[in-house]
Amino acid sequence: THNYLTNENLEEALKQIMGTTKGKKLAFIGFDACLMSMLGIMAYSYKYADIMIASQELELGTGWNYSEIFAPFNEGAMPKALFAKHIVNTFKQTYDRYIQDYTLSAVDLSAVGAILVNVDHVAQLLQKAISMQRENSAIKTIGISRHRNLCTHFDEPSYIDLDHFYTNMLSNVDRLSLINTQEEELLKKALKGALEFGKRTLCRAVIANTAGRKLPQAKGISIYFPERKMHSSYHRTIFANTNSWVNFLRSYLSQRSIEAQK
């Protein structure tokens, strides 16, 4: 039908909801929908809620099992973090016997600011590596780390697991070769530190996570990383307008295209 909720529409809706709560954040925001556990979505949501619950992968049309989700409230109230974990666990219990590629995670949105800063730092370092690379080493290293056969991706392959990409980059960072050897050592050290810090930050942010047997490295937060071309709408998102990740993608995809044409 070509009807959908854009990221900009989402923020407008959240702003209106916040107006009814007199500025008080929601305890959590849950997306019973496909492919929503994205850092780009969290860049909107963290201003309006404490916890975000969403799937990195497609969800079956039946969605969340609401009768089981709300069952504990027959006994009384439940703390928000415990309730978020309960939702994730209920999703696992509902789908684990039927499918092997489900996901659901609960993210502490107070940690998203630190993740955004870290991704910005990593993106700047990767862009610098590309600009100073010898024999296309940075493009090759990033390409191997992001490759769909080696890095967890989802039904929309432009969405990859951020933690898995960081893990792969840490394993491959020594493949980088820069024109200036002194700069090379400094950049490798800085990149390793940023990636390690990023993995710790991601781990702290994800308070609950479940994934089917086909997605063992899905850790709860995805990021947009197309293989060949960015969608034109991406440039309108808050994340793309406030983070160096989009500049890194431009550099990477441009250089990758040039190499492919040789």
Side-chain angles (χ1 to χ4, degrees), residues 172-242:
N172 295 320
V173 71
D174 287 327
R175 294 171 178 259
L176 291 173
S177 176
L178 304 187
I179 295 170
N180 184 311
T181 55
Q182 185 175 5
E183 286 283 353
E184 177 184 317
E185 291 307 311
L186 291 172
L187 188 140
K188 284 181 179 178
K189 182 178 180 180
L191 184 55
K192 286 179 180 178
L195 292 167
E196 288 168 351
F197 178 78
K199 281 180 63 64
R200 292 194 299 271
T201 305
L202 289 166
C203 183
R204 287 195 296 269
V206 179
I207 60 177
N209 181 55
T210 187
R213 291 179 288 280
K214 285 188 177 180
L215 297 168
Q217 295 296 326
K219 300 299 183 182
I221 298 177
S222 302
I223 196 165
Y224 181 62
F225 195 156
E227 292 181 282
R228 293 180 178 84
K229 184 179 179 181
M230 273 190 285
H231 194 280
S232 59
S233 65
Y234 188 62
H235 302 279
R236 296 196 296 270
T237 65
I238 283 180
F239 180 64
N241 280 281
T242 57

Side-chain angles (χ1 to χ4, degrees), residues 62-73:
T62 45
W64 294 7
N65 185 343
Y66 287 96
S67 61
E68 290 297 322
I69 283 173
F70 290 116
F73 289 99

